[in-house]
Every structure is written in C-alpha cells, then in structure tokens.
Amino acid sequence: MDDALVFKALADSSRRHLLDRLFERDGRTLTELESELEMTRFGVMKHLKVLEDAGLVVHRREGREKLHYLNPVPIRLIDDRWIDKYTEHRAAAVSNLKAPTGGHSLTATAPAAQTSQVYQVFIKSTPERIWEAITQPEFTRQYFYEARITNTAERHHSLAPDGSTWGDSAVSEFDPPRRLVHGWRSLYDPEMASEGESRVTWEIETQQGGVCSLTVIHDRLEYAPKTAASVSGAGWMFVLSGLKTLVETGEALV
C-alpha cells in the first residue's frame, strides 16, 4: 500500500464525499453513488478508480450488481505509520476497541454497522505465510486480541487466554492458501452468543511485486446486530493492521 496514493485520494473533496456516503451506508452501486454527486457517471467512475487504487474502496459483485464498500484499513495504517509513533494513543486506542476481553466500543465515530462488511489490506509476503498466520494459533494470539484460533478443513475454533471458548463454528470452504470460509459466533458475550451465526470469508490473491491482497468479508449479519456493531470498523481494522505488521516484520503491533 502506497501512502502517497491514500493522501492523493483523500485530497479531493468529491472523493471524500463518496467515502462519506459509503460511511453512512456501505455496499452501494455506481448508480446510487452517482445520484449523490453533481457530475457525470464517467466522473464518478474516475473518482472511484482513484479510491480503489488507494485501497479505500473495494468492489464486490453480487449477482449482476457491482457493489462498492468503504475499506477503512488504509486509513488505520496511515494512523499507525504517521500519527501513532508521535503520540501515546496506542494504549487508549486498544482500550476503546470492542475487544473480546471487554472495554468500550467506538461509538462516537464508528459507522453504522452493516450486514455485509468488506475489508482489504495489502501485505508484502507470500500467500502461504499469510495463510499460516490466519490458521495457526501461535500467530493469531499475537494480533487477534490474544485469541488462539485454529482453522482446519472442518472447524473454526477460538480459545481465550484462559482456555475458554470464544468461537466454534463449521468451516464451509478450505482452499489453502487462497480461500477460507467459516461461521462466526461471538461466544465470549452472552447477548452476541444468542444471535444468529454470521459468516467470515478470507481471500488471498497474489499481486505484483511480492505483495498479496487479503480481503475479509464478514456477512450474514442480518440476525446478529450486536455482533455487527462489535466487529464493524475498528474491530476488524485492528486485527488486519496487526496481522500485516506481524507478517511483514515478525513483531506484534502492540
């Protein structure tokens, strides 16, 4: 991920306006976004291309529709790179995240929780290394709120530091090192545990220059509103930012 592309994308008011609209409601078509701006369809497409090149927007096809999603991870990485090292906010940021260990949720600035959430990060590593990091507990405990997560062809199993179960769901797709799909239930919280099961999809794609894109889709959250709010924005951003740091540097983010 090129920081310059992110800064360039954010410098334009029309592109910031598009991001604000996706912040309010994710998963919009080009036609929906076009109605939000006083410009031609071609102009909106050009702005979306700049945002996609910067990783700030990710599109997914659902049937015949092409839906656009806000990807906040690059902004989180900008914060880690350019702001975090000059401040002492890291401890406060972690305590403000809605983590399995408790704490407060980011309610002041968090977007409305969506029933389909899409996040993407670019990692300078091999697909095999990234796959290992998302399926082996010795890696997940270093970036996933200390959870020891094991993903096999049969089960997604997450253990808390004290050995209690935080998650236990079936795996529906297991295609190393490319694609993993598993159920998700937040068993660490009684209210969220009583909600319907949602789904998490991990997709690893090789890019040029020894880089891979890792896309995480958390969907089927229609019957799990509390879970949707918990994982939205900061929750997944913290996980993916930590995963990227761990894989690229060998060190945990915090």
Side-chain angles (χ1 to χ4, degrees):
M1 180 61 62
D2 187 343
D3 290 353
L5 293 178
V6 179
F7 286 120
K8 175 184 175 182
L10 294 174
D12 184 89
S13 60
S14 294
R15 290 194 284 271
R16 294 197 301 272
H17 184 72
L18 282 171
L19 293 177
D20 284 339
R21 301 290 73 76
L22 291 174
F23 182 90
E24 292 174 355
R25 181 168 62 82
D26 236 350
R28 297 196 187 199
T29 64
L30 174 61
T31 300
E32 290 177 291
L33 292 172
E34 182 185 357
S35 68
E36 301 280 354
L37 288 171
E38 295 182 358
M39 65 173 61
T40 66
R41 186 179 184 87
F42 181 69
V44 176
M45 290 173 63
K46 288 180 64 177
H47 282 306
L48 285 173
K49 178 64 164 59
V50 174
L51 292 169
E52 289 190 18
D53 288 345
L56 293 166
V57 169
V58 179
H59 72 262
R60 306 285 299 175
R61 288 203 172 273
E62 295 188 13
R64 299 177 64 181
E65 291 188 321
K66 181 179 178 181
L67 304 183
H68 298 83
Y69 294 86
L70 170 66
N71 178 36
V73 177
I75 298 176
R76 167 75 195 203
L77 295 175
I78 290 289
D79 178 77
D80 292 341
R81 172 67 178 86
W82 294 104
I83 300 174
D84 187 68
K85 70 178 182 181
Y86 298 116
T87 67
E88 296 180 356
H89 93 291
R90 196 184 293 276
V94 174
S95 67
N96 284 334
L97 293 172
K98 179 61 177 178
T101 52
H104 307 285
S105 59
L106 273 140
T107 56
T109 58
Q114 304 291 329
T115 57
S116 293
Q117 302 175 19
V118 180
Y119 304 90
Q120 188 177 77
V121 65
F122 291 87
I123 305 174
K124 193 171 185 61
S125 185
T126 64
E128 291 77 12
R129 178 67 172 170
I130 298 170
W131 181 267
E132 188 178 31
I134 66 177
T135 58
Q136 301 299 319
E138 59 267 30
F139 293 103
T140 64
R141 67 175 181 80
Q142 299 182 68
Y143 67 85
F144 218 126
Y145 302 109
E146 300 184 54
R148 297 183 62 86
I149 300 173
T150 303
N151 286 303
T152 66
E154 292 78 30
R155 302 297 295 179
H156 162 81
H157 194 223
S158 176
L159 292 177
D162 64 4
S164 59
T165 299
W166 275 352
D168 186 21
S169 298
V171 170
S172 55
E173 294 186 45
F174 191 81
D175 181 20
R178 289 176 291 272
R179 182 177 170 89
L180 170 68
V181 183
H182 61 78
W184 178 286
R185 290 182 64 219
S186 303
L187 300 181
Y188 50 82
D189 181 277
E191 291 187 355
M192 288 190 282
S194 66
E195 295 182 325
E197 185 175 80
S198 55
R199 179 178 66 178
V200 174
T201 301
W202 305 75
E203 295 178 345
I204 303 170
E205 295 184 7
T206 303
Q207 309 292 332
Q208 294 181 347
V211 173
C212 290
S213 63
L214 172 62
T215 304
V216 173
I217 305 103
H218 196 155
D219 60 3
R220 296 185 179 176
L221 288 159
E222 292 86 348
Y223 302 104
K226 294 183 183 299
T227 299
S230 174
V231 301
S232 176
W236 273 115
M237 281 193 292
F238 180 77
V239 168
L240 294 180
S241 181
L243 189 156
K244 173 181 170 69
T245 299
L246 178 65
V247 172
E248 291 185 342
T249 70
E251 298 180 0
L253 184 60
V254 293

